[in-house]
Amino acid sequence: MSGSGKTDLDVPTDTLFGVNNLPYCIFSTLETEKRAGVRIGDSVVDLSVALGDDVFTNPSLNPFMAQGRDRWVDVRAQIAALIADGVPVGALHEIGAVALHLPFEVADYVDFYASEHHAANLGRLMRPGCEPLMPNWKHLPVGYHGRAGTVVVSGTDIVRPAGQRKTPSQRAPDFGPSRQLDIEAEMGFVVGVPSEHGVPITPDQFAEHVFGAVIVNDWSARDIQAWEYVPLGPFLGKSFATSVSPWVVPLSALEEARINTPVQDPEPLPYLRESESWALDIDLTVEWNGHEVSRPPYGAMYWSPAQMLAHITVNGASSRTGDLFASGTISGPDKQQRGAFIELTWGGAEPVAVGDETRTFLEDGDEVIISASAPGPDGTRIGFGDVRGRIVEL
Ligand code: MN
C-alpha cells in the first residue's frame, strides 16, 4: 500500500484476469449491498467507490449496459488507468470475500442451435434414419425462446425436474423425475443497447448493441424433451433452469479472439452477411464431478453471434437491455469435443468414465463445471471464469 491511500496491485503475468480482460460482475460483501465490480487478478474492484459513479451502485449491470458503447470504452479506459495508478483503499476486495450474483437482469432469453456437429448428432439420435440436419438449418440460425425468469447464476443448485416421460416401449407417458438430466455447454451474449421495434440490427451493428459474453449451461431433461418437442420445440425439458457465469466479459476484450466462421455453403441471405466475422475462438472445458470429460471448441460454430442477433431482429422484433441469447450446445467434430452428455454417451448407450465411476446422465449430487478462455493480446489469455451447478433431489 502506498502513502496516498492507494493499493498497488500485484497481478500475476499468467493470470486469465489481467488488464486486457476486466470482466464485470455484481457482487456483495458482508458490509455492502449488491453493486457492480470488475475483476483484476484475484481481486474485485468496487466501481462505485473507485469511479465515484452511482450507475455502479445498481444491483444489476443493466443501467450501465444501456449507456452504450462509447461509455463502455470510456469506463474500460478509466479502470485500466486506475489499475496502473493504484486502486483506492476501500475499493478493493479479495475474490474469496465477495458473493457473486446474477450480473444482469435478464430481459428476453433466446437459445440457438448453431453447432453443425451438435445438430447433426442430435438429429441422428432423435430422428434415426432421417437426414440429420433439417432443410432450413444452413439457411438460418435455428433457435427458440427460452424462459428468462429461470436464468440463474453459477453456484445455484439445480433441482431435478419432473415431467411427462415416455420411453419407446411405453404405450402412454408416466410422470416423475427426469431420468435423463443433461447439460449443454454454450456461450451467451448480453445486449446492452436496445433496438427500436420494427428496426432490425444488422450483423455489422453487433458491437454497438452487445455488451459482452458469458458461459451458459442450458440444463436439459432429455426424456421430457423427447416426448414434448414435436411440433413446437423445447418447452418444459429446458425451462426449469439455465445457469450463467457471474462474469460478463466485454466484447472489447475479445478482439484478439475474432476468427471467421467455417465456410457457409449455401451463402447466407444478405441480412445474415457480416463484413468482418464475429465468430470467436473460445475454448471450453467441461468437468463432471471434478473430472474433465470434454473440451468443446466455440470456434467451430457454424453461425456467428452477430448473425444470431441479426436473425432475432430481422422480422422487426426489438431487442432490450438485458436480452440474453445463447449459442446452442457447442460440439466439435471429435467425441471429446461434445458439449452435451446425450452426445458424449450416444443417448446413454456408451457410458463415460467419470473418475472411478461411469455415467450416462446426471445423478443427484453430481456437479458440472464449465470453464472457458480465449486468446488475448500479446499471448495472454482472457478468462471467462466458470459456470457451475450441482443436481439436488426433487
Ligand atoms: Mn441449448
Side-chain angles (χ1 to χ4, degrees):
M1 195 177 294
S2 67
S4 57
K6 293 176 178 177
T7 304
D8 294 321
L9 282 165
D10 190 15
V11 182
T13 50
D14 62 347
T15 181
L16 294 172
F17 301 95
V19 73
N20 297 316
N21 187 347
L22 302 178
Y24 292 89
C25 69
I26 292 295
F27 76 98
S28 63
T29 69
L30 292 176
E31 289 81 32
T32 61
E33 304 271 308
K34 289 182 191 175
R35 55 188 53 206
V38 75
R39 180 166 179 177
I40 179 74
D42 289 327
S43 301
V44 175
V45 178
D46 183 330
L47 291 174
S48 64
V49 173
L51 301 181
D53 189 325
D54 282 348
V55 76
F56 299 115
T57 61
N58 286 290
S60 94
L61 293 172
N62 292 42
F64 171 56
M65 296 196 304
Q67 290 180 335
R69 182 171 161 78
D70 289 349
R71 170 79 169 141
W72 308 336
V73 170
D74 181 49
V75 166
R76 186 168 167 81
Q78 287 184 49
I79 296 167
L82 195 75
I83 288 164
D85 193 38
V87 178
V89 172
L92 207 58
H93 300 275
E94 285 298 310
I95 198 144
V98 306
L100 295 167
H101 305 279
L102 192 63
F104 55 97
E105 196 180 329
V106 183
D108 288 301
Y109 166 48
V110 164
D111 194 21
F112 282 96
Y113 196 50
S115 159
E116 182 173 359
H117 305 287
H118 173 71
N121 282 334
L122 265 281
R124 290 183 191 106
L125 283 162
M126 290 195 145
R127 296 181 303 276
C130 302
E131 193 60 37
L133 291 182
M134 298 300 279
N136 59 5
W137 198 89
K138 288 198 169 180
H139 293 275
L140 55 83
V142 170
Y144 67 95
H145 279 97
R147 193 168 186 85
T150 50
V151 175
V152 298
V153 72
S154 173
T156 306
D157 283 346
I158 304 301
V159 178
R160 180 179 297 276
Q164 288 200 19
R165 312 162 303 187
K166 186 188 149 327
T167 60
S169 61
Q170 285 177 285
R171 281 179 47 228
D174 61 12
F175 180 88
S178 171
R179 299 187 188 98
Q180 295 186 326
L181 189 52
D182 196 356
I183 66 153
E184 294 193 336
E186 311 190 9
M187 293 304 299
F189 297 85
V190 188
V191 171
V193 174
S195 66
E196 201 180 320
H197 198 174
V199 183
I201 299 173
T202 69
D204 290 340
Q205 292 170 327
F206 178 71
E208 300 299 317
H209 290 272
V210 169
F211 177 74
V214 293
I215 313 169
V216 173
N217 186 347
D218 174 24
W219 304 96
S220 300
R222 301 300 181 192
D223 40 3
I224 298 171
Q225 182 186 356
W227 171 233
E228 76 178 1
Y229 88 107
V230 178
L232 288 184
F235 193 39
L236 304 186
K238 285 168 175 288
S239 62
F240 56 94
T242 306
S243 300
V244 295
S245 54
W247 308 104
V248 184
V249 173
L251 275 196
S252 302
L254 297 173
E255 278 295 334
E256 301 289 326
R258 291 179 71 171
I259 53 173
N260 289 317
T261 60
V263 174
Q264 296 181 326
D265 184 18
E267 185 180 22
L269 288 168
Y271 81 89
L272 289 169
R273 293 180 199 157
E274 311 176 79
S275 47
E276 194 182 347
S277 177
W278 269 103
L280 293 165
D281 177 19
I282 302 171
D283 295 333
L284 287 81
T285 301
V286 179
E287 285 177 59
W288 196 340
N289 293 342
H291 303 280
E292 183 182 308
V293 292
S294 177
R295 294 182 75 87
Y298 185 73
M301 299 301 268
Y302 190 85
W303 297 104
S304 86
Q307 293 177 310
M308 293 177 201
L309 184 60
H311 190 66
I312 290 172
T313 60
V314 73
N315 64 348
S318 49
S319 192
R320 295 188 289 171
T321 301
D323 278 4
L324 171 68
F325 60 98
S327 60
T329 306
I330 302 162
S331 291
D334 300 334
K335 183 171 183 179
Q336 293 74 20
Q337 296 178 316
R338 295 175 183 167
F341 298 152
I342 189 174
E343 288 174 83
L344 207 56
T345 67
W346 209 247
E350 302 171 11
V352 293
V354 176
D356 296 334
E357 302 178 44
T358 59
R359 284 286 188 280
T360 52
F361 293 97
L362 288 158
E363 297 186 6
D364 291 341
D366 281 2
E367 185 184 46
V368 174
I369 303 174
I370 306 169
S371 52
S373 68
D378 310 317
T380 60
R381 298 285 296 174
I382 302 292
F384 288 80
D386 60 42
V387 57
R388 51 182 72 204
R390 197 172 60 92
I391 306 305
V392 298
E393 195 178 351
L394 181 63

